[in-house]
Amino acid sequence: MAAVPGVRRSELGDALRACRNAFIGVGIMSCMINLLYLTGSLFMLEVYDRVLPSRSVPTLVGLAILAGGLYVAQGVLDLIRGRILGRIGTSLDEALNARVFDTIVRLPLMVGSRNEGLQPLRDLDNVRSFLGGLGPSAFFDLPWLPFYLAICFAFHVMIGLTALVGAIILVSLTVVTEFLSRAPAREAMGLAARRNDLAATSRRNAEVLVAMGMAGRLTRRWSEANEKYLEGNQRASDVSGGLGAIAKVLRMTLQSAVLAVGAYLVIHQEATAGIIIAGSILSARALAPVDLAIAHWKGFVAARQSWHRLNKLLGSLPARATPTLLQNPSSRLSVEAVSLVAPGDQKIIVQDVTFTLQAGNGLGVIGPSGSGKSSLVRALVGVWQPFRGKVRLDGAALDQWSSDVLGRHVGYLPQDVELFAGSVAQNICRFDPDAASATIIAAAKEAGVHEMIIKMRDGYDTQIGEQGAALSAGQAQRVALARALYDDPFLIVLDEPNSNLDTEGDEALTRAVRAARERGAIVVVVAHRPIGIEGVDQLLVLKDGRMQAFGPKETVLGQVLQRVAPPTPIKIVSEGGVAKS
């Protein structure tokens, strides 16, 4: 199908359309399975109308063998159909999991903390689980309901009408299920997300909760959130479960009604005894997909909501096109009238900052807390996009680079250091599978952390655990510094790199900054302590998001010190020759 000009294709739809042949196969198998479902009713019809009147054992044996073979074929086809549907769900996941993970990473950088966390991943799991379950089988079987009703009418009009009335009631019940379950399912999903976010936040801050006596209060908040989730989930379950129970009772009532109508027809000699049983089996089979659909309606509603959320999310964060590969940056960093707002906010926190650094320059960024220092360095490494202005490397704006390519030329040590589960070496080399040991060790030595690492239990192969739990704050910061220096990046940005360092670590940091500058890198250091800017030659002063001063370090420091120096007392000589201040 050709795409409509100007209309964005749904990535989920494209992934599902890629499984078109598999769905066609499922449809063909559903056709064969539903034809084989006639085995039971036709077998009973023949037994009651032929075998019992003739008392022929060979006929009974032949029918039994034939029915057994058909049942085996039906079971095999049903098994294959279920496995194909499961693989369709897996194929959809394989096609989209990388994109979904990419949105999870990018979303906080665009909307800040007001995002759905891991909800996109749970949404993909919901869609995959539904496709691999029994729900789709019911929808493939539903179109065969008129076929079974037609056979019931062929047996007798009264039997057909009875089955038709039952079908209308159950289909109406399905529609009612759709309208009544939509809102409770959506509410339960939102409550589950809030509960999970609270649990994840508490887990990350377990030390603070215990140390400051907050565990009991957070437990109460968790209990309240969990209680609301259970109530919402119970409402959704009550709707789908209650309507499912009603559907089951109605189907059993219908089966008995067909038996009663058949018996009435037999009494009046308008039908045979075999038609009673065959009609009952066929009517039950006709309405089984409706019953199954109602039973799985909760999962269907959840999967549909997940589908819509994923479609909206992937549409709002389209896949990034691969830009033309530029030359490696090697000469300058330019910041051109950059103004910044936090993701998801409108307030400008950095305004009209302009400066240029050449290869080998080191810039110290200083200023009071809340002056926009960390926000500025996020823009320098491409994490935040400027509200106005441009950040350029060798004249090319950062958005002309893909993040994977730009990342090879950038070393970044954020204010809040967080390492990943894995070995020390893997964290230093940024989990590059082709990293050379010599390059990893060189980065560690440049950061002054090589001796510390080789004293660990397994050296560079030491597993640091989730979020670097096996390391102290100072060790984690020094390993993160080695990660920033790995493979000699051109632009190195360090946000308060000495906040957890001792004297030895401070000295190693200064040596690392000077060594990077000597090889031609540009180094930007945000610092509150004077030792953090020892290795730089330029200084930028920020206050309230505005640039107060920029230039050579000694010159700017002199200006800053002059501003904050106390006024010199003025001596006044009195008429009597006594000096007064």
Side-chain angles (χ1 to χ4, degrees), residues 47 65 77 150 153 173 197 300 390 412 432 440 500:
V47 166
I65 293 174
L77 289 173
F153 273 101
L173 197 61
D197 289 343
F300 168 67
K390 289 289 184 181
Y412 179 44
D432 181 0
I440 296 173
N500 294 305

Side-chain angles (χ1 to χ4, degrees), residues 520-570:
I522 294 175
V523 184
V524 178
V525 181
V526 175
H528 281 295
R529 292 160 53 191
I531 195 169
I533 57 173
E534 277 193 5
V536 304
D537 61 335
Q538 304 287 316
L539 203 60
L540 169 67
V541 181
L542 287 177
K543 183 179 181 182
D544 298 328
R546 294 181 178 272
M547 186 169 66
Q548 302 297 308
F550 171 77
K553 181 172 66 175
E554 290 76 12
T555 303
V556 174
L557 278 179
Q559 295 174 359
V560 173
L561 292 175
Q562 186 176 3
R563 290 175 189 169
V564 301
T568 304
I570 301 175

Side-chain angles (χ1 to χ4, degrees), residues 217-262:
R217 299 168 202 162
L218 265 294
T219 300
R220 285 192 291 274
R221 288 192 64 188
W222 157 260
S223 298
E224 292 171 1
N226 190 59
E227 184 178 349
K228 291 180 180 178
Y229 163 71
L230 292 177
E231 290 175 356
N233 190 61
Q234 191 62 55
R235 283 193 293 271
S237 298
D238 287 346
V239 170
S240 59
L243 293 174
I246 293 173
K248 187 179 295 184
V249 169
L250 287 175
R251 190 159 66 89
M252 295 173 63
T253 302
L254 174 64
Q255 196 168 0
S256 298
V258 171
L259 284 173
V261 170

